[in-house]
Amino acid sequence: MQERPRRYPSDTSDAQWVVIEPLLPPLARRGRPVAHARRDVLDAILYVVRTGCAWRALPVDFPPWQTVYWYFNQWEQQKVTEKILPVVRGQLRIAEGRDPEPSAGIIDSQSVKGADTVGQDSRGYDAGKKTGGRKRFIVTDTLGLLLTTMVCSASVQDRDGAKPILLNLYLRTRVRFVYADAGFAGRLLDWAATILQTTIEIIRKPPSKRGFTVLPRRWVVERTLAWLTAHRRLARDYERHPTTSEAMIRWAAINTITRRIARGYPATRQQKHTTPSTH
């Protein structure tokens, strides 16, 4: 079994693979020999997430798309992304001089257009954003690293959609303090305090400010949404089931975090080069 050469920007680096490989399920000791290297399968999944191509459109140097899709589903059934994410997040937090387990989080939602492949039972219309499709809820730590996610119909109000993701946050982490915008205000605050012993602090825009304003804490989760949607599969929602969308979000977050661990420092935005005027 020979691995394919790394040739795409989405391919895992050697340092990145060192981080991820131990966290994948162990190979079965019985049955037929494995025909394709798991790193090639992982690179194929990340290619789909990063470029937004259809499974059937995978380049021929990857394993067959049926094999890649089978692994994608098997790993989700085994909750692989849910197990990898907290481990790599903890590694990066330690590298940043933080406690591996965060104590505060930031919640936000994002409405995205749904492709015709999105099931009618999980799509809706967000009148506020004038978007038809689905809504993503994410909670990050104060570094902007993903803690948990939930995908539902775009018609779900923020204060209603926040309940299941906050419950998941309560069960999976020690976070008991969450920052949020005004869309989460109201009865949700009392519900979170009573049921989850979690405090939600609403960060409001100062009345004196007009237009776009960078708000304390809030910009962190907005930046994370930008990181995620840089993965073109997340530019809109193509998935038949919301759980598949959630898996794509986790793979995008794992890719971002492990690349940062392997690189050793945060990514920097490429500077624009201007051509000197000839006049």
Side-chain angles (χ1 to χ4, degrees):
M1 180 177 58
Q2 185 176 2
E3 290 187 1
R4 50 174 284 278
R6 318 258 85 75
R7 57 167 56 94
Y8 302 113
S10 58
D11 286 339
T12 54
S13 65
D14 291 340
Q16 194 178 4
W17 178 239
V18 167
V19 174
I20 297 176
E21 183 185 19
L23 305 177
L24 294 175
L27 293 171
R29 297 184 178 182
R30 297 182 180 181
R32 292 183 301 176
V34 176
H36 303 282
R38 292 194 299 173
R39 184 174 180 182
D40 292 346
V41 172
L42 176 62
D43 284 345
I45 292 174
L46 295 180
Y47 184 90
V48 169
V49 176
R50 191 67 178 85
T51 67
C53 81
W55 292 105
R56 295 172 185 267
L58 275 170
V60 295
D61 58 325
F62 285 119
W65 74 267
Q66 298 93 332
T67 301
V68 177
Y69 188 66
W70 182 87
Y71 270 98
F72 176 85
N73 283 321
Q74 285 293 114
W75 285 349
E76 276 313 298
Q77 291 176 22
Q78 298 174 50
K79 301 186 181 301
V80 169
T81 55
E82 295 180 35
K83 296 174 182 177
I84 292 178
L85 182 59
V87 175
V88 296
R89 184 181 63 239
Q91 292 177 9
L92 182 53
R93 285 181 59 84
I94 291 173
E96 294 286 336
R98 302 293 188 95
D99 190 288
E101 290 296 326
S103 58
I106 312 167
I107 188 172
D108 200 6
S109 67
Q110 178 189 50
S111 294
V112 291
K113 293 182 178 179
D116 56 1
T117 49
V118 172
Q120 290 293 333
D121 58 338
S122 60
R123 70 185 300 151
Y125 185 73
D126 183 343
K129 300 294 179 62
K130 296 180 173 58
T131 301
R134 286 193 176 132
K135 182 175 285 189
R136 301 167 181 153
F137 289 84
I138 66 169
V139 181
T140 73
D141 64 8
T142 54
L143 294 178
L145 308 180
L146 184 69
L147 296 176
T148 185
T149 184
M150 190 273 289
V151 176
C152 60
S153 167
S155 60
V156 175
Q157 296 293 321
D158 283 358
R159 61 180 62 90
D160 296 325
K163 289 183 177 181
I165 193 173
L166 288 174
L167 176 59
N168 192 30
L169 182 74
Y170 175 81
L171 296 174
R172 292 179 176 273
T173 73
R174 69 175 191 177
V175 171
R176 299 295 180 265
F177 190 93
V178 178
Y179 296 97
D181 65 19
F184 295 91
R187 290 176 296 178
L188 176 66
L189 277 63
D190 292 335
W191 178 87
T194 303
I195 305 300
L196 305 180
Q197 292 80 52
T198 297
T199 300
I200 300 178
E201 180 174 322
I202 303 299
I203 306 295
R204 300 182 184 274
K205 184 177 179 179
S208 59
K209 299 290 185 178
R210 293 187 178 183
F212 175 76
T213 304
V214 177
L215 299 179
R217 302 292 184 182
R218 295 282 308 123
W219 67 270
V220 174
V221 70
E222 297 288 353
R223 181 185 61 179
T224 302
L225 289 171
W227 287 343
L228 293 174
T229 50
H231 296 75
R232 294 189 178 186
R233 187 78 176 199
L234 302 179
R236 65 168 55 194
D237 201 314
Y238 295 94
E239 316 309 330
R240 174 65 182 85
H241 300 287
T243 53
T244 307
S245 296
E246 294 167 4
M248 291 290 182
I249 293 170
R250 286 191 294 269
W251 275 121
I254 290 168
N255 185 42
T256 300
I257 293 172
T258 55
R259 279 179 177 268
R260 187 165 164 182
I261 293 173
R263 190 171 52 240
Y265 55 87
T268 55
R269 183 178 293 276
Q270 185 176 3
Q271 299 299 315
K272 293 183 178 180
H273 297 281
T274 59
T275 304
S277 175
T278 57
H279 298 287

